[in-house]
Amino acid sequence: MTSPLDQAPTHMKLAVDLIMILEQHDVAPEEVLKALEIVKSDFEKKLEKS
């Protein structure tokens, strides 16, 4: 039996995985958002270099 997630694009699967990891570690939403800003900035710089 397949779930809708099995057919989802890679970025959606990654988002679900990240949400699950952060929730399992009981990370405060404010801290998650601060961390995601850093991650987004880092990956945007990587895109510019490629």
Side-chain angles (χ1 to χ4, degrees):
M1 184 173 191
T2 62
S3 74
L5 188 56
D6 292 335
Q7 304 302 317
T10 301
H11 68 279
M12 291 296 292
K13 293 177 186 177
L14 179 58
V16 170
D17 288 344
L18 291 171
I19 291 167
M20 289 175 58
I21 290 168
L22 294 166
E23 287 180 347
Q24 288 170 352
H25 287 82
D26 201 27
V27 180
E30 301 84 15
E31 297 299 323
V32 170
L33 292 175
K34 288 178 187 178
L36 287 174
E37 287 178 25
I38 295 167
V39 171
K40 183 177 183 207
S41 174
D42 182 65
F43 277 87
E44 286 173 339
K45 288 176 187 171
K46 289 177 183 180
L47 272 179
E48 290 171 6
K49 291 180 182 178
S50 61

